[in-house]
Structure formats: C-alpha cells, structure tokens
Amino acid sequence: MRLEVSLCQARATVMLYDDAGRRWVPAGTGGQSVSRVHIYQNPANNTFRVVGRKLQADQQVVINCPLVRGTKYNEATPNFHQWRDSRQVWGLNFGGKDEAAQFASTMLHALDVL
Ligand SMILES: CCOC(=O)[C@@H]1C[C@@H](CC)[C@@H]2C=C[C@H]3CCN(C(=O)[C@@H]4CC[C@H]5C=C[C@]6(CCCN6C(=O)[C@H](Cc6ccccc6Cl)NC(C)=O)C(=O)N54)[C@@H]3C(=O)N12
C-alpha cells in the first residue's frame, strides 16, 4: 500500500469556529499553539487531506480533514485562511505570508484536481 505524499507543509495555529459563541477557538486541547500543517495526497485514489500536529512535544493531531470536491477555500487575509467541512469551519492562522501563499496554492491545486 503506497504511503501518502506530503505536498506541502506550513506552520499555523489551527482554529475552529464556535458558532454558538461566535468566536474562533483553538483546535485540539491545551490552548492556542502552533502546529505543522500538511496537505497529504493519497496517490492510490487521488484523495487529499489536511493533517496538522502540534509542534510541542505531544505532537497532538489537531486537524485531520479530508478535502471534498467543490470546497471553497477562503483566503480571508494573507495570514488567515478558512474553509467549511460538513460539520464545522476551519481556520489556519499562518506564521508567515509566504507559507500561507504556498499552502493556498497547493490547496487550490488539490481542490482543482479532486
Ligand atoms: C483581526 C481580528 O481577528 C480576530 O479577532 C479573529 C481571531 C483571528 C485569528 C484566529 C481571526 C483572524 C482573521 C479574521 C479574518 C476575518 N475573520 C472572521 O472571523 C470573519 C469576520 C466575520 C466572521 C463571520 C463569519 C465567519 C466565521 C465563520 C465563517 N465566516 C465567514 O465569514 C465565512 C468565510 C468563508 C467564505 C467562503 C468560503 C468558506 C468560508 Cl469559511 N463565510 C461564509 C459565507 O461561510 C468569518 O470568517 N468571519 C477573522 C477573525 O475575526 N479572526
């Protein structure tokens, strides 16, 4: 079974939108902290997912989100990008604009070929 390929990675704080509270909350536990976020491609079936693990010791997985054809990826600001999955809204608060642009470019490619 072929392994998934990491198409890109970026440092970002992974956030979820709390509809009830109308505010962004950090994904995972242990408060707001930076993760390394990848876009993985599974070549066997041409699927993609966004996976992020905290940089800190426990490497907690804070996002594991399959990409769905037709998803709109919204670059709300140069550093803050967001998209909806079936249940919630994800936000990535990137460490830098260049990383953010690279991630967006890869994301848009993935959504284009899905
Ligand atoms: C600077 C100070 O920033 C802040 O204090 C907070 C914390 C900052 C770090 C984490 C973060 C950073 C940047 C800003 C940038 C703006 N922004 C918001 O949240 C805006 C403002 C109003 C608010 C209203 C709704 C909300 C929330 C949920 C989804 N959504 C939509 O608009 C969606 C978007 C969308 C569009 C297309 C496709 C997909 C999707 Cl998802 N539209 C629809 C049609 O679904 C949204 O994004 N909203 C952020 C913010 O405030 N903050």
Side-chain angles (χ1 to χ4, degrees):
M1 118 114 160
R2 286 181 60 183
L3 290 179
E4 290 178 279
V5 177
S6 174
L7 299 182
C8 79
Q9 54 181 283
R11 275 162 305 134
T13 300
V14 182
M15 313 292 288
L16 284 163
Y17 193 70
D18 164 19
D19 287 307
R22 289 209 303 282
R23 63 200 172 104
W24 291 95
V25 297
T29 57
Q32 189 148 325
S33 80
V34 181
S35 294
R36 183 169 305 290
V37 185
H38 293 255
I39 299 176
Y40 284 111
Q41 177 183 28
N42 182 339
N45 57 10
N46 191 42
T47 56
F48 301 84
R49 61 190 177 128
V50 177
V51 178
R53 300 177 190 84
K54 289 210 170 170
L55 290 182
Q56 66 196 35
D58 63 354
Q59 303 236 332
Q60 183 191 47
V61 176
V62 294
I63 179 171
N64 178 7
C65 178
L67 294 184
V68 174
R69 186 202 318 265
T71 297
K72 166 105 175 52
Y73 184 72
N74 186 49
E75 298 173 61
T77 72
N79 276 41
F80 186 77
H81 302 174
Q82 56 191 163
W83 72 95
R84 288 185 296 269
D85 73 10
S86 55
R87 298 186 356 261
Q88 52 209 350
V89 181
W90 294 98
L92 298 179
N93 206 25
F94 291 94
K97 290 180 175 46
D98 294 351
E99 272 188 307
Q102 172 60 47
F103 191 91
S105 164
T106 305
M107 173 67 79
L108 295 177
H109 164 74
L111 292 171
D112 194 35
V113 299
L114 254 182

